[in-house]
Amino acid sequence: MKFDDNQISVIKADSGPLLVTAGPGSGKTAVLTHRILYLHEKLKIPYEEILVITFTKAAALEMKSRFEKLCESDSKVTFCTFHSLFYSIIKDFKKDSFNIISQNEKLNILKTVLMDLKIDLNRIDLVLLLDDFSRYKNLLDKKGDFSSYQFDEKDFIKIYKMYNDELILRKLLDYDDFVICVEKYFNEDETFFLKWQNKFTYCLIDEFQDINYSQYDIIKKLFTGKGVFAVGDEDQSIYAFRGSSADICLKFKKDFNANVIKLVNNYRSRKSIVEAGMNLISYNTLRFDKKIVSKSRGEGEFKAKEYISQFDEYDSFAKEIKYGLNKGKSVAILLRTNFVSDTLKYVLLKNKIQIEYEKTSKIPQNTEIIDDFLAYFKLSLGELTYKNLLRIANKPNRFISRNFLSECKYNEKNSEIFSYVNLYKNCEDKNYLKANIFKLERNIKELKKLDSFEGIIYIMKVIGYEKYLFEKQYDYKNDFEEMKFIARDFPLPSDFIDYYELLNNEENKVIKPEGNSLKVCTIHASKGREWDEVFIPDVNEGNIPHKRAVNKEDTEEERRLFYVAMTRAKEKLWIGFVNDPSRNLKPSIFKEELK
């Protein structure tokens, strides 16, 4: 492999502490593996005294595989994650048994704690609260800077302590406990600490910007005065919710008196994409001053456009995505959160785009309520089936029994289609039933005159469906509001029906379709990956930056996250901003920073 002068200076640096700021697409993994080889062959450091740390098991295995292909043998270099390193230290010290807690166990214990405190589970985001616990544990002496997203300080500490006490009682550890245990054991037993301090001569840390203060303190203990090679990019530090901070990159330089080498050539993205990314990230203050330069041939395609609605945005994206997939390009949509809106899903499916979801979820809807509305609209469009009638016959109550409809169906020779004439004929002397059927027929005829939005209001208020929901104590407000928004995009009831039926079609619920497909994942999940074409929708206030970004530090984190998303693109990058006052959507503050 051919390296540029910048990369060679990193590979052949001396054995002292070195901080390498490696921008997107800079070839840092290749540089790191060749650096290991140079340490052994030229600087004569034994393989068994070299420690390589990264953040995921997959990354550690990939790096080990690439290095062993390079040196054409099984080496004795230790490739691991922070968690596996700390686990090894704990097992080496701890004689009694312990278990690592699963995510489900965490949630169950947390639910128990909250119920004991008589806190309503329905108003709490449990996963977000567990993230708060993780941040709090990893802040060490900076706990005074902590604030929970959902509780005041006093209540948070109380919940945290009860949760943690339960873990201790059950002899359970989570990954955040690992570093606390290691710190404790090193302080308790100096001989044990010296054993681990003398184990390695040189340490290489990949994705250094993702390190948190707890992990950093352990590295300082073990490797102060030794060789540490830290490679990362403070502009891509996006795990503040785990306690990581871009500030640690700057802190490392000072604490270790380290040299700094900047890898500024981007071999992934085309010129227009790199320049847009640099325009954005230059607004951050907590970073090294550097200018990333594209080494990929061609200008590339960068487009940042404002749309009048989400539907308009998604439709525009879908046409471009389909074109790219048909040309054999790898294409991704990157989302700020793991919620895929029904409108986005609908537009993609409508354009017959195969979708591959990754770590996505959606807010569960009450499909029973939606299906009731669809049945009313179908009746108004002439789909006079017993199936549709049976669905809404007593919503609200009209005293139209299932037996009555079965008898009507029998008298129409088991036809699937009903007629109002036949319904009246079977009422016999039940005048109240005739009156209710007459009122239903009149309501359906009036509904036929209305568009989707007017129809939803009419079904709720005039026909009386809202009264039925209230009597059944259904929580319908979110679905009602969502349907009204969808109805604005699909004013024709036939299109409104088509929208929901396409979403609910079982054939469209394929997780990993065959052939060339669109990848849909969160920005966090996109880290370390790349696609020919990347689309980032809904770059709006409250989304990017997220509504939880309440200060300058939070906003810089959100800007880094947006930068990471942009730099996943190789050839084409489209960004969408929606300006839709009806949904309280306005373009992100980042819009002007891209220019």
Side-chain angles (χ1 to χ4, degrees), residues 372-374 376-377 395-396 447 450 452 454-466:
D372 289 346
F373 275 88
L374 297 185
Y376 269 114
F377 278 122
K395 300 176 182 178
L447 182 60
L450 307 175
S452 301
E454 295 166 336
I456 289 171
I457 305 299
Y458 185 80
I459 293 168
M460 286 290 277
K461 306 294 183 181
V462 179
I463 291 180
Y465 187 68
E466 186 174 40

Side-chain angles (χ1 to χ4, degrees), residues 183-200:
E183 182 82 25
K184 180 172 177 284
Y185 301 155
F186 281 174
N187 289 335
E188 286 179 357
D189 191 331
E190 187 177 358
T191 302
F192 180 73
F193 166 67
L194 291 173
K195 171 187 173 182
W196 277 89
Q197 189 184 46
N198 294 328
K199 190 175 180 67
F200 300 105

Side-chain angles (χ1 to χ4, degrees), residues 37 57 124 140 192 205 278 292 310 312 388 391 418 576:
L37 195 63
K57 184 178 180 181
I124 303 301
L140 294 180
F192 180 73
I205 307 172
M278 286 307 300
I292 305 298
Q310 285 181 312
D312 185 44
N388 289 333
R391 175 146 208 108
F418 75 86

Side-chain angles (χ1 to χ4, degrees), residues 73-339:
S73 69
D74 292 336
S75 74
K76 294 181 180 179
V77 175
T78 300
F79 292 86
C80 65
T81 65
F82 272 107
H83 289 146
S84 63
L85 172 65
F86 295 159
Y87 182 79
S88 298
I89 295 172
I90 293 169
K91 290 290 285 183
D92 190 31
F93 183 90
K94 202 173 177 67
K95 305 308 177 188
D96 54 332
S97 62
F98 66 92
N99 292 307
I100 300 172
I101 189 171
S102 69
Q103 183 71 3
N104 282 339
E105 286 177 303
K106 286 183 182 182
L107 290 169
N108 289 334
I109 291 173
L110 181 56
K111 286 176 186 177
T112 303
V113 168
L114 293 173
M115 285 189 291
D116 286 346
L117 292 171
K118 295 182 171 50
I119 295 172
D120 183 4
L121 297 181
N122 292 322
R123 72 176 184 85
I124 303 301
D125 185 328
L126 299 178
V127 175
L128 184 60
L129 185 53
L130 288 175
D131 284 344
D132 280 348
F133 288 173
S134 179
R135 283 194 302 132
Y136 186 74
K137 283 183 179 182
N138 285 297
L139 282 174
L140 294 180
D141 59 339
K142 292 181 175 288
K143 284 182 168 50
D145 299 333
F146 176 84
S147 62
S148 169
Y149 292 121
Q150 301 178 89
F151 293 95
D152 62 33
E153 183 180 358
K154 182 181 176 182
D155 288 340
F156 174 80
I157 297 297
K158 186 175 184 179
I159 297 166
Y160 171 80
K161 188 175 185 308
M162 288 180 65
Y163 170 83
N164 224 40
D165 287 346
E166 190 64 30
L167 262 58
I168 293 169
L169 184 66
R170 300 188 192 192
K171 294 185 176 180
L172 293 170
L173 292 178
D174 68 19
Y175 288 123
D176 297 310
D177 292 321
F178 282 13
V179 68
I180 296 171
C181 290
V182 169
E183 182 82 25
K184 180 172 177 284
Y185 301 155
F186 281 174
N187 289 335
E188 286 179 357
D189 191 331
E190 187 177 358
T191 302
F192 180 73
F193 166 67
L194 291 173
K195 171 187 173 182
W196 277 89
Q197 189 184 46
N198 294 328
K199 190 175 180 67
F200 300 105
T201 300
Y202 200 93
C203 177
L204 301 96
I205 307 172
D206 189 25
E207 301 289 359
F208 188 72
Q209 74 280 347
D210 295 336
I211 197 170
N212 62 45
Y213 284 103
S214 305
Q215 294 163 342
Y216 179 67
D217 277 2
I218 298 296
I219 292 299
K220 273 207 306 181
K221 271 185 168 59
L222 290 173
F223 290 98
T224 294
K226 297 184 183 181
V228 182
F229 176 97
V231 58
D233 181 9
E234 77 286 356
D235 288 336
Q236 297 184 70
S237 177
I238 60 172
Y239 293 110
F241 63 89
R242 296 180 190 166
S244 68
S245 171
D247 181 54
I248 297 178
C249 287
L250 283 68
K251 186 174 171 57
F252 174 83
K253 179 182 181 298
K254 180 181 177 182
D255 290 347
F256 282 84
N257 192 26
N259 290 326
V260 179
I261 299 178
K262 302 171 186 177
L263 295 181
V264 295
N265 291 330
N266 184 325
Y267 293 93
R268 174 192 299 152
S269 304
R270 300 282 171 84
K271 182 181 178 184
S272 61
I273 298 169
V274 170
E275 288 181 350
M278 286 307 300
N279 288 342
L280 173 81
I281 202 63
S282 64
Y283 281 83
N284 271 10
T285 57
L286 196 62
R287 62 188 299 268
F288 291 104
D289 183 30
K290 56 184 179 292
K291 176 70 174 176
I292 305 298
V293 178
S294 172
K295 292 295 182 180
S296 180
R297 289 184 179 179
E299 186 71 18
E301 183 178 347
F302 169 70
K303 186 173 185 179
K305 185 178 177 182
E306 186 173 302
Y307 297 89
I308 59 172
S309 71
Q310 285 181 312
F311 185 85
D312 185 44
E313 175 190 36
Y314 299 154
D315 191 54
S316 175
F317 276 23
K319 290 178 174 59
E320 286 297 315
I321 288 167
K322 191 170 185 178
Y323 182 68
L325 290 173
N326 288 340
K327 291 196 301 179
K329 301 293 185 180
S330 59
V331 188
I333 283 183
L334 303 184
L335 305 174
R336 173 60 182 85
T337 67
N338 65 351
F339 171 70

Side-chain angles (χ1 to χ4, degrees), residues 39 53 63 81 134 161 207 230 327 339 364 366 475 485 526:
L39 289 170
I53 309 174
M63 200 173 298
T81 65
S134 179
K161 188 175 185 308
E207 301 289 359
K327 291 196 301 179
F339 171 70
N366 191 326
D475 182 9
F485 281 131
S526 76

Side-chain angles (χ1 to χ4, degrees), residues 359-577:
K359 292 184 179 179
T360 56
S361 63
K362 63 187 290 301
I363 298 171
Q365 290 179 309
N366 191 326
T367 55
E368 181 183 345
I369 293 174
I370 294 170
D371 288 344
D372 289 346
F373 275 88
L374 297 185
Y376 269 114
F377 278 122
K378 286 177 182 179
L379 289 171
S380 75
L381 293 175
E383 289 186 36
L384 301 180
T385 66
Y386 276 101
K387 179 181 177 182
N388 289 333
L389 178 59
L390 183 61
R391 175 146 208 108
I392 55 86
N394 292 299
K395 300 176 182 178
N397 190 11
R398 301 181 178 93
F399 302 98
I400 303 174
S401 70
R402 185 178 290 269
N403 287 338
F404 171 76
L405 291 179
S406 295
E407 187 178 336
C408 292
K409 188 175 181 181
Y410 177 78
N411 290 336
E412 290 194 273
K413 297 180 180 179
N414 284 319
S415 169
E416 295 299 320
I417 306 299
F418 75 86
S419 69
Y420 289 106
V421 171
N422 186 51
L423 295 181
Y424 291 129
K425 190 184 295 184
N426 282 274
C427 286
E428 299 174 345
D429 59 348
K430 297 175 183 176
N431 291 330
Y432 72 91
L433 189 55
K434 285 183 180 179
N436 287 341
I437 292 173
F438 175 76
K439 185 177 180 181
L440 173 63
E441 182 182 13
R442 189 177 61 191
N443 287 156
I444 296 300
K445 287 180 179 178
E446 287 299 315
L447 182 60
K448 185 177 181 179
K449 302 174 185 177
L450 307 175
D451 65 24
S452 301
F453 184 84
E454 295 166 336
I456 289 171
I457 305 299
Y458 185 80
I459 293 168
M460 286 290 277
K461 306 294 183 181
V462 179
I463 291 180
Y465 187 68
E466 186 174 40
K467 181 182 178 183
Y468 158 78
L469 293 174
F470 181 78
E471 290 172 347
K472 291 291 184 180
Q473 297 184 326
Y474 284 145
D475 182 9
Y476 62 88
K477 290 183 180 179
N478 287 339
D479 294 299
F480 182 43
E481 292 303 316
E482 179 63 21
M483 280 191 289
K484 286 194 294 183
F485 281 131
I486 298 303
R488 288 192 180 101
D489 290 331
F490 300 95
L492 291 177
S494 57
D495 290 339
F496 183 82
I497 293 168
D498 183 42
Y499 170 85
Y500 279 110
E501 291 199 332
L502 184 59
L503 290 177
N504 294 328
N505 187 337
E506 288 296 326
E507 293 179 2
N508 293 321
K509 295 180 180 178
V510 180
I511 302 300
K512 288 192 175 180
E514 295 179 0
N516 203 20
S517 60
L518 168 71
K519 192 76 171 181
V520 178
C521 68
T522 65
I523 299 173
H524 280 103
S526 76
K527 185 85 181 299
R529 302 160 73 179
E530 60 184 37
W531 293 271
D532 296 327
E533 301 180 358
V534 169
F535 295 79
I536 311 172
D538 305 328
V539 183
N540 290 83
E541 288 298 299
N543 188 43
I544 302 176
H546 197 272
K547 60 185 177 183
R548 291 199 302 265
V550 295
N551 55 39
K552 180 174 177 286
E553 185 178 6
D554 293 340
T555 302
E556 291 210 358
E557 169 92 357
E558 290 292 308
R559 190 178 284 112
R560 289 192 293 268
L561 189 65
F562 187 25
Y563 176 70
V564 165
M566 293 174 65
T567 55
R568 300 309 94 197
K570 294 199 287 187
E571 301 171 9
K572 183 175 185 174
L573 173 63
W574 273 37
I575 294 170
F577 310 90

